[in-house]
């Protein structure tokens, strides 16, 4: 079983390798590398947020000093210039923060919410600055506005620790950096509280509690940063915050904390601002070093994970390449045989089998041979297949081919039997109809009562319609009328004969019909039959009070007939489907859904006639029939007798009337086409939606009560 072993090597081994290496190693490593890259970006944004917080704290302190000194800022215009310079520095920091934050992706929900709050608060900075410049704003409201955006920035820095893929140690370091930024914010709040107290003449009980809460918050945040941070960070904090500037600021803060409420503070505001600014700057120096250390740590981890993922990817690729080489070497013979089988299968599927099916679809192709004999004669498409599994596949394909040919032969045999049944029924119906017609003729010769004569003519007209229905079955069965004419007929006479074969012949109005158009004798009956189906359909699917017009004219070496009604029409898509069926009649009699449609299509194909539905400029449809040169005859005298069956001998009164309403004139496009031979026939005007061609499609409208009945007999001899 060589192929079984090869299939195991070609399919099982690559599958196992792909699952084992790519699924177990490559995917997790790649995911970790992506998460590490996202974390590095988030840390960079957090660093930008920390710098923005520092700039906002300095701007807030200057704004508080300016408002506390009634807009002078301590030094008049110089104070305003310092504030504007700090505002410009803050704007540059805002731009850096927004540029970095735009590259973040897949952030936690808390981080995204903090970003939205920061963007909203930054949009309100302009109004806060306007209050500071004018010196008209309240210090408490201004400080609260800055406090909101600073709180959101600190919350954003802390939320970075919740990102996916953050290691526990890195998360603690990120929280420690955020805690140190929070400690710096508490220092800024202490600074603003003292400046506000100077402006108000001393602490109120509420502002004193706020100052004390800020001191406690600073202590807690500092302790959190020390606890969660790296041991090296504690060394940096101790060395930086144990100097003389930090100690001086702490002494002033302790002095302020001991100040009672409702008394002016003994601390000089300028000295207080200088001390607190120095202390914040020292703490900011440590925060920068901490942020840089965190960024370096996550960048190193990202680089390590990327190289690990690349190494695993290379290992997987090398393994897969080796497997492919082994599979290629072992399966070369198998691939060659598969290609040979594929080529043979394509030949059968696209050439041999369609040719057999097309041959069997022709009438009379089955003959007396059985379906199994026909399938055996088709032969086996694949030979010399071998005795392995590949040979078994080839034998199975030969079996499928044999079954397909046998099934096609069975269907062809069934269709021929069905067609023969239709022909038999039609011929028997035609024989009975001929007997009925003869009986009616003999009764009509002896009848003198007008009322009975009218009833007899109605029965005679019904017999004509029954004959057309039998002829429909003959056409579907692949046969014609079985009549041979010896004389050509004028086109108008053929139209009259077609109108006689429909129920509502009284609504047919003959328009402009060129007398020079004649129909060859061999095609008279078929053309009349074709026109009768179109006229019947037009009268059935148009309002009963309207007329159906018929016109005919020459167009170069052809003749064009148009049947125009005022029906409801069809959508363009449906009209296109019907035109396609008219152009290509179905060979399968059992698949015919609409008898009238297929009869028209088969009669047209028999003589090379083109039938097309076109949209009308008004309501309804135009059925256009183009008679080729082979169907036309030399001009025929309109008064020449037409030796024809009953359907062509008696012309109804309404069609002979010279004053028929809505007679069709020759359209202008036909005259233009003869004058300009380069014009295209497809540009013959615009048409509306067409009506249904097949008389048995859809619901038929009920006959109108005012619809004219078949005419009574007259002395000049017209028939129904």
């Amino acid at each position: 079983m060589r192929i079984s072993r090869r299939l195991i090597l070609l399919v099982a081994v690559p599958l196992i390798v792909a699952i084992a290496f790519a699924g177990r190693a490559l995917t997790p490593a790649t995911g970790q590398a992506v998460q590490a890259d996202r974390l590095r970006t988030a840390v960079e944004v957090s660093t930008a947020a920390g710098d923005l917080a520092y700039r906002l704290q300095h701007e807030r302190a200057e704004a508080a000093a300016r408002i506390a000194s009634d807009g002078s800022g301590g030094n008049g215009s110089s104070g305003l210039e310092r504030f504007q310079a700090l505002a410009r520095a803050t704007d540059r920091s805002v731009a850096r923060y927004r540029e970095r934050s735009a590259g973040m992706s897949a952030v936690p929900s808390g981080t995204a919410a903090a970003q939205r709050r920061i963007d909203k608060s930054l949009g309100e900075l302009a109004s806060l600055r306007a209050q500071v410049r004018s010196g008209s704003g309240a210090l408490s409201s201004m400080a609260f506005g800055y406090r909101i955006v600073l709180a959101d920035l600190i919350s954003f820095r802390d939320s970075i620790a919740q990102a996916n893929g953050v290691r526990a140690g890195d998360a603690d370091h990120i929280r420690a950096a955020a805690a140190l930024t929070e400690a710096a914010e508490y220092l800024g709040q202490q600074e603003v509280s003292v400046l506000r107290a100077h402006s108000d003449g001393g602490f109120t009980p509420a502002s004193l509690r706020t100052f004390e809460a800020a001191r406690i918050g600073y202590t807690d945040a500092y302790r959190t940063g020390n606890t969660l941070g790296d041991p090296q960070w504690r060394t940096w904090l101790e060395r930086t915050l144990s100097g003389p500037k930090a100690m001086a600021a702490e002494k002033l803060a302790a002095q302020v904390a001991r100040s009672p409420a409702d008394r002016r503070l003994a601390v000089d505001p300028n000295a207080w601002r200088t001390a607190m600014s120095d202390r914040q700057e020292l703490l900011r120096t440590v925060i920068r070093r901490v942020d840089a250390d965190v960024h370096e740590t996550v960048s190193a981890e990202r680089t390590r994970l990327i190289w690990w993922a690349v190494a695993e990817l290379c290992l997987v690729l090398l393994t897969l390449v080796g497997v492919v080489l082994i599979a290629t070497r072992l399966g070369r013979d198998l691939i060659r045989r598969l290609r040979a089988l594929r080529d043979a299968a394509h030949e059968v599927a696209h050439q041999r089998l369609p040719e057999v099916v097309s041959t069997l679809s022709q009438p009379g192709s089955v003959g007396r041979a059985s379906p199994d004999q026909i399938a055996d004669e088709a032969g086996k498409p694949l030979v010399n297949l071998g005795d392995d599994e590949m040979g078994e596949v080839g034998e199975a394909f030969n079996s499928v081919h044999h079954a397909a040919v046998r099934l096609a032969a069975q269907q062809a045999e069934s269709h021929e039997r069905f067609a023969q049944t239709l022909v038999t029924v039609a011929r028997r119906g035609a024989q009975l109809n001929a007997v009925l017609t003869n009986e009616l003729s003999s009764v009509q010769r002896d009848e003198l009562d007008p009322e009975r004569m009218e009833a007899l003519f109605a029965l005679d007209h019904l017999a004509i319609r029954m004959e057309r229905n039998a002829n429909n079955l003959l056409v579907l069965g692949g046969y014609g009328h079985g009549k041979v004419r010896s004389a050509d007929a004028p086109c108008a006479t053929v139209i009259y004969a077609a109108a006689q074969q429909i129920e509502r012949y009284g609504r047919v109005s003959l328009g402009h019909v060129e007398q020079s158009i004649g129909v060859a004798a061999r095609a008279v009956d078929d053309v009349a039959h074709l026109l009768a189906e179109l006229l019947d359909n037009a009268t059935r699917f148009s309002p009963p009070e309207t007329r159906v017009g018929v016109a005919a004219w020459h167009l170069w070496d052809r003749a064009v007939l148009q049947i125009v009604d005022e029906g409801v029409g069809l959508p363009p898509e449906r009209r296109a489907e019907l035109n396609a069926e008219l152009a290509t009649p179905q060979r399968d009699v059992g698949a015919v859904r609409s008898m009238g449609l297929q009869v028209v299509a088969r009669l047209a194909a028999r003589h090379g006639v083109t039938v097309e539905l076109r949209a009308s400029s008004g309501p309804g449809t135009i059925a256009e029939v183009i008679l080729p040169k082979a169907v036309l005859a030399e001009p025929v005298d309109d008064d020449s007798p037409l030796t024809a069956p009953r359907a062509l001998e008696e012309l109804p009164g309404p069609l002979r009337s010279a004053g028929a309403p809505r007679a069709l004139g020759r359209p202008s496009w036909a005259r233009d086409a003869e004058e300009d031979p380069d014009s295209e026939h497809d540009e013959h005007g615009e048409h509306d939606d067409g009506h249904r061609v097949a008389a048995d499609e859809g619901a038929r409208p009920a006959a109108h009560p005012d619809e004219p009945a078949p005419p009574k007999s007259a002395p000049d001899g017209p028939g129904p």
Side-chain angles (χ1 to χ4, degrees):
M1 303 296 289
R2 294 176 297 150
I3 292 185
S4 297
R5 291 195 298 269
R6 290 178 180 177
L7 287 176
I8 292 175
L9 291 175
L10 291 175
V11 179
V13 173
L15 184 61
I16 294 174
V17 171
I19 294 176
F21 284 90
R24 296 293 183 87
L26 184 59
T27 301
T30 305
Q32 291 174 3
V34 172
Q35 291 176 356
D37 184 72
R38 291 174 179 171
L39 178 60
R40 188 190 67 163
T41 303
V43 168
E44 292 175 352
V45 179
S46 176
T47 302
D51 180 73
L52 177 58
Y54 172 73
R55 299 296 177 184
L56 287 172
Q57 289 165 359
H58 274 254
E59 182 180 330
R60 177 183 60 184
E62 186 64 34
R66 178 172 175 77
I67 294 177
S69 58
D70 297 330
S72 63
N75 292 319
S77 61
S78 62
L80 179 59
E81 292 176 357
R82 286 196 305 272
F83 175 77
Q84 291 178 343
L86 291 173
R88 288 193 293 270
T90 302
D91 289 339
R92 290 192 294 270
S93 183
V94 169
R96 287 193 297 270
Y97 163 76
R98 287 177 172 170
E99 181 181 357
R100 297 288 179 84
S101 62
M104 294 186 65
S105 61
V107 297
S109 58
T111 304
Q115 284 183 301
R116 290 191 295 270
R117 293 195 301 269
I118 292 171
D119 292 337
K120 181 179 179 182
S121 300
L122 291 177
E124 299 174 355
L125 277 179
S127 61
L128 291 176
R129 291 170 177 174
Q131 296 176 11
V132 174
R133 293 188 185 97
S134 63
S136 59
L139 194 154
S140 58
S141 62
M142 180 277 301
F144 182 74
Y146 279 97
R147 185 175 179 179
I148 289 176
V149 63
L150 285 166
D152 291 335
L153 287 170
I154 295 170
S155 175
F156 169 76
R157 283 173 60 86
D158 186 74
S159 65
I160 299 299
Q162 302 174 5
N164 294 329
V166 181
R167 297 180 302 174
D170 293 339
D172 289 342
H173 291 174
I174 293 172
R175 292 191 181 96
L180 293 178
T181 304
E182 186 178 11
E185 167 59 12
Y186 281 123
L187 290 178
Q189 292 179 16
Q190 294 178 42
E191 181 180 2
V192 174
S193 298
V194 172
L195 293 176
R196 180 181 176 187
H198 273 291
S199 176
D200 296 340
F203 278 124
T204 63
S207 62
L208 183 58
R209 287 194 298 271
T210 301
F211 179 78
E212 292 175 350
R215 292 196 68 196
I216 295 173
Y218 169 78
T219 303
D220 292 340
Y222 182 86
R223 185 180 299 111
T224 301
N226 261 333
T227 303
L228 297 177
D230 190 88
Q232 186 180 7
W233 299 358
R234 290 193 288 271
T235 303
W236 295 343
L237 287 171
E238 292 173 358
R239 290 179 180 178
T240 303
L241 298 180
S242 61
K245 291 183 179 181
M247 297 305 296
E250 179 61 28
K251 289 180 181 180
L252 285 178
Q255 182 181 351
V256 171
R258 291 193 296 270
S259 300
D262 299 329
R263 288 187 183 181
R264 183 173 295 276
L265 298 178
V267 178
D268 181 62
N270 292 330
W272 171 255
R273 287 187 59 195
T274 302
M276 296 305 294
S277 178
D278 291 341
R279 190 176 184 183
Q280 282 186 314
E281 183 63 32
L282 292 173
L283 184 56
R284 177 59 187 165
T285 303
V286 178
I287 293 175
R288 286 195 185 98
R289 296 183 67 182
V290 167
D291 286 341
D293 188 59
V294 172
H295 184 270
E296 183 180 355
T297 301
V298 297
S299 297
E301 180 65 15
R302 167 184 171 274
T303 302
R304 185 186 69 83
L305 291 175
I306 288 176
W307 279 111
W308 180 258
V310 170
E312 290 189 351
L313 177 61
C314 293
L315 180 61
V316 170
L317 290 178
L318 289 175
T319 304
L320 289 177
V321 168
V323 171
V324 169
L325 291 176
I326 295 174
T328 302
R329 184 174 181 180
L330 295 178
R332 185 174 302 170
D333 179 65
L334 177 61
I335 293 174
R336 179 182 57 80
R337 298 182 64 190
L338 284 173
R339 287 176 178 174
L341 180 60
R342 179 200 60 189
D343 295 340
H346 279 305
E347 181 183 1
V348 170
H350 300 294
Q351 182 177 352
R352 295 184 58 176
L353 187 58
E355 289 177 356
V356 171
V357 174
S358 177
T359 302
L360 291 175
S361 63
Q362 301 296 330
S365 60
V366 176
R368 296 183 179 181
S370 65
D372 288 328
Q373 292 175 343
I374 295 176
D376 293 336
E377 292 176 358
K380 294 184 178 181
L382 302 177
V383 295
N384 300 326
L385 298 174
D387 56 355
D388 52 10
E389 286 87 346
M390 188 66 67
E392 294 176 358
V393 173
E395 289 295 339
F397 189 83
N398 287 338
S399 300
V400 171
H401 176 265
H402 185 274
V405 174
R406 185 179 67 247
L407 180 60
Q410 291 176 349
Q411 291 181 345
E413 183 181 30
S414 176
H415 294 162
E416 288 189 4
R417 291 178 180 176
F418 182 67
Q420 290 294 335
T421 302
L422 287 180
V423 171
T424 301
V425 172
R427 287 175 175 172
R428 291 182 179 179
Q431 293 175 358
L432 295 176
N433 192 69
V435 175
L436 175 62
T437 302
N438 293 332
E439 294 295 332
L440 288 173
S441 298
S442 61
V443 173
Q444 287 176 351
R445 284 193 295 269
D446 300 331
E447 185 59 57
L448 300 177
D449 187 357
E451 294 183 358
R452 292 184 179 179
M453 196 65 174
E454 180 179 1
L456 291 174
F457 276 131
L459 292 176
D460 188 41
H461 186 242
L462 178 60
I464 295 175
R465 290 157 51 200
M466 292 171 61
E467 181 182 1
R468 178 169 65 90
N469 187 68
N471 290 333
N472 285 346
L473 297 181
L474 288 174
V475 173
L476 292 179
Y479 292 85
H481 293 88
K483 305 164 186 173
V484 178
R485 297 192 175 275
S486 59
D488 303 332
C491 183
T493 304
V494 176
I495 296 174
Y496 289 145
Q500 283 189 146
Q501 302 178 43
I502 67 174
E503 179 181 0
R504 298 168 177 84
Y505 62 88
R507 291 172 52 198
V508 178
S509 175
L510 190 63
H512 173 78
V513 178
E514 292 187 1
Q515 297 181 359
S516 60
I517 301 176
V519 180
R522 62 180 180 81
V524 166
D525 288 314
D526 286 343
V527 173
H529 191 179
L530 183 150
L531 295 177
E533 292 294 333
L534 295 176
L535 288 172
D536 183 71
N537 185 71
T539 55
R540 286 179 181 273
F541 294 100
S542 60
E545 67 276 5
T546 62
R547 292 280 185 173
V548 174
V550 185
W553 59 89
H554 269 297
L555 183 65
W556 301 309
D557 60 342
R558 297 166 292 175
V560 179
L561 285 81
Q562 283 192 346
I563 299 173
V564 184
D565 63 58
E566 297 182 4
V568 295
L570 281 175
E573 296 80 6
R574 179 56 179 160
R575 188 170 62 251
E577 293 177 2
L578 295 177
N579 284 331
E581 294 187 32
L582 287 170
T584 308
Q586 298 182 15
R587 295 178 179 178
D588 186 359
V589 179
V592 173
R593 295 185 305 165
S594 52
M595 182 171 63
L597 179 72
Q598 283 301 309
V599 168
V600 172
R602 295 190 181 204
L603 291 175
R606 182 180 298 173
H607 297 283
V609 176
T610 301
V611 180
E612 184 176 2
L613 300 179
R614 295 180 177 271
S616 175
S617 59
T621 300
I622 297 176
E624 184 175 272
V625 181
I626 300 178
L627 302 179
K629 182 178 181 180
V631 176
L632 300 179
E634 295 296 329
V636 181
D637 186 4
D638 288 343
D639 297 331
S640 61
L642 183 66
T643 58
R646 189 176 187 84
L648 293 177
E649 290 175 353
E650 298 176 356
L651 305 180
L655 289 177
R656 297 199 318 273
S657 175
R662 296 186 75 254
L664 295 178
R666 191 177 185 185
S668 61
W669 63 261
R671 297 192 299 270
D672 296 340
E674 291 183 345
E675 295 171 2
D676 183 10
D678 294 334
S679 63
E680 294 292 336
H681 182 62
D682 291 336
E683 301 175 359
H684 289 169
E686 299 294 330
H687 304 287
D688 202 316
D689 292 340
H691 65 317
R692 290 161 288 186
V693 172
D696 56 353
E697 285 189 25
R700 299 178 177 177
H704 196 277
D706 297 332
E707 182 178 346
K712 299 179 181 180
S713 61
D716 55 355

